[in-house]
Structure formats: structure tokens, C-alpha cells
Amino acid sequence: MVHGVEWAAQGPGGEPESSDSMKAFGAVVQALREHAGLSREEFGALVHLSKHSVASIELGRRLADQRFVELAEEATGSTGAVRGAFRHMARQPGLAAWFRMWARLEREAAVLDTYECRLVPGLLQPESYVRAVFENAVPPLTDGELDMQVAVRMERQQLLRERPNTSFSFIIEESVLLRELGGPEVTRCLLDYLLECAELRNTSLQIMPLKRGQHASLSGPLQLVETPDGRRLAYAEGHMNGRLIADPKDVALLNQRYAKLRSQALTPEDSVSLLERLRGAL
């Protein structure tokens, strides 16, 4: 039996919902930052985040982790107010435990591996593709909901560059790229962005070709994380929920599948060549 934590409280498009406690914590951070006379950019430099990430925390769209709390505490005078607000937020029933756990794991990961067969992974989606994804939501989103989801997803794009010492690996099915979600112009933008991401030293991008006689992950999408202290966990999702998998035997099996899949996919160099050919054909 797989031991894990069921994910819940997801908003439209699978993004975590904000909560009153997250918004209240963000308001406290904003008030303390402004009292200290710091702009979001200046504050971001002190807490090792971009100004956009700071804005997301202050607006209650992004969950802060313990590292942010300690750095924000120092930046605002070490009064204890940030720590106190964070402890209060963590006790609120509206903030799902799975989100606190996964947000911390993702942002502190030493290694993050992702296989996708449905759409381009969120960390690799340019804005036009993000918008196309949420425009296909069923039931449809309101304009406000759509803009919020796009903003949240785009804020996550900072992770690849904010974590230069984290090793990111992505394997994407070629069929995802051939689908042309959003149309040819969106696909051109997507391919350009993937080629840009493939140049990052901490990022490995591989394409699983359509014509391949073997496939180690026919069970579906998969995410694997290794923490700085060597713990390994996995995440798998379906239509209505997701599951964080912590059982060592199950995680070891999923890591074995991902390693096999990497050997079956095109090499990073050949993957870039394929992306360039697809881009040239549009």
C-alpha cells in the first residue's frame, strides 16, 4: 500500500487556493516592510527572493517557508512579529497541511525531477501557454480567476533562477509539443522558452519521442524530489486530487522508473535539436 498525504483544497486549474490566514500574514509582512522603509525589490534582496515573489507573499498568493520567515524577521528589525504571524497562520484550518509540506519541499529541493505526458510542466510554461492552459479549464474561469491563476503560475517561474544550485530535470512527451495548445503562435513562444530554459546550467530537458518501443512511465505523470538532507519523496496527481508519496519502497520504485525513462528519452542535446526542428517547421 502506498503511504502518502492526500492533497486537497485546490483551486481552479489545480493551483492551491489562497486562504484568509495567508492574506493576513502577507498584510503583516507588507506593513513591516513599509515601516522599515524598504521597497519590495530592496526587501527581496534581503530575503533572497524577487520583488514578484515578495508581492505574491504579501498578497496571500504564495505560502512563505521558514527560511523566508527568519530572513524577513531580520530585515524588519527582529521584533518577533513575522514569526508570530507565521505561527498563527500555520494553525489556521483553511491552510492545508499538504500545501505547507509541498511548498517547502519544492522550494528547498536539492533535486527536482518531473515527467509530463499531458502538458508542459508548470515551471517551463511561458505566459501565453499558461493563459491557454487556464482558458481550457472546465468549467470556465471568470476573467478575474483566470488572471489570478496566470499570476500565480508565472510567479513560480522564478524558481528555476532563484535556485541555481538545485538540479532540475524534465522529461516531456513529444506529443505535448505537437498538440499546439493555444495555436501556432503560442507554440512558437513555448518552443522559444523551452530552448531558453534548456540553456540553464541547473536544468536538464529531455523529450520522449513518439516512436519509441519502450516506455517506463506508462502509469502517468510523476514528480520526484530530493531534499538537502537526502530524503526522497514523490508526487502523483489525477483529475481531482494528488498524493504525496513518502514510503521509501514506493519512492525508490518511482525513482527507478524515472531513471529508466531518462535512458529511453532523447539526450538533452538531441532534445534541443528536436525543439529547433519543431520551431523551424512552424
Side-chain angles (χ1 to χ4, degrees):
M1 176 179 178
V2 174
H3 300 285
V5 179
E6 291 296 328
W7 287 36
Q10 289 182 320
E15 293 289 347
E17 288 183 346
S18 181
S19 68
D20 289 342
S21 60
M22 288 172 66
K23 294 174 183 176
F25 174 78
V28 169
V29 171
Q30 181 173 351
L32 291 170
R33 172 182 63 77
E34 292 176 347
H35 182 72
L38 298 169
S39 68
R40 280 177 174 165
E41 187 170 4
E42 292 168 335
F43 183 71
L46 295 174
V47 298
H48 303 166
L49 293 176
S50 69
K51 64 180 181 180
H52 304 292
S53 298
V54 171
S56 291
I57 289 175
E58 291 182 349
L59 295 173
R61 295 198 304 253
R62 169 175 172 167
L63 180 69
D65 57 20
Q66 193 63 48
R67 177 171 174 267
F68 170 85
V69 170
E70 296 306 320
L71 292 173
E73 187 67 48
E74 291 181 18
T76 55
S78 298
T79 64
V82 179
R83 291 193 188 98
F86 186 72
R87 285 194 297 270
H88 178 73
M89 179 184 68
R91 290 195 297 268
Q92 298 302 309
L95 186 60
W98 62 262
F99 183 38
R100 293 199 302 271
M101 183 183 300
W102 183 253
R104 176 176 56 80
L105 289 171
E106 186 177 58
R107 295 208 59 79
E108 297 181 0
V111 179
L112 190 63
D113 299 329
T114 302
Y115 163 65
E116 259 295 354
C117 56
R118 306 161 304 172
L119 73 169
V120 172
L123 289 175
L124 298 178
Q125 295 177 2
E127 185 170 354
S128 58
Y129 187 89
V130 173
R131 191 165 291 275
V133 168
F134 288 114
E135 285 176 348
N136 279 275
V138 178
L141 305 180
T142 66
D143 289 345
E145 289 171 337
L146 191 147
D147 289 342
M148 172 65 79
Q149 295 301 330
V150 171
V152 171
R153 182 67 58 84
M154 290 310 300
E155 188 274 329
R156 290 187 67 235
Q157 306 302 310
Q158 304 296 323
L159 193 59
L160 292 180
R161 293 164 177 82
E162 286 179 355
R163 302 286 299 175
N165 295 321
T166 296
S167 175
F168 295 92
S169 168
F170 300 94
I171 303 175
I172 309 172
E173 290 288 338
E174 181 182 358
S175 58
V176 170
L177 307 175
L178 297 177
R179 181 171 295 123
E180 296 192 12
L181 183 69
E185 189 57 41
V186 171
T187 302
R188 290 189 193 97
C189 179
L190 169 65
L191 294 172
D192 287 341
Y193 190 68
L194 291 177
L195 288 167
E196 178 185 330
C197 291
E199 294 180 356
L200 297 173
R201 289 196 302 273
N202 64 335
T203 301
S204 170
L205 175 57
Q206 294 179 256
I207 306 300
M208 188 66 178
L210 278 174
K211 295 183 179 180
R212 185 67 88 210
Q214 295 180 319
H215 198 301
S217 190
L218 295 175
S219 297
L222 178 63
Q223 291 191 64
L224 302 166
V225 64
E226 182 177 335
T227 65
D229 60 2
R231 288 187 303 134
R232 291 185 174 186
L233 301 102
Y235 168 64
E237 67 180 19
H239 271 265
M240 302 303 294
N241 56 31
R243 186 175 71 245
L244 185 65
I245 303 167
D247 182 87
K249 292 182 180 179
D250 293 320
V251 174
L253 173 60
L254 295 175
N255 273 277
Q256 181 181 351
R257 289 181 183 176
Y258 191 83
K260 184 68 173 179
L261 192 63
R262 291 188 75 170
S263 71
Q264 296 167 341
L266 297 178
T267 66
E269 295 77 14
D270 289 342
S271 296
V272 167
S273 296
L274 175 58
L275 291 172
E276 291 173 340
R277 290 198 301 273
L278 291 174
R279 177 64 176 85
L282 288 173

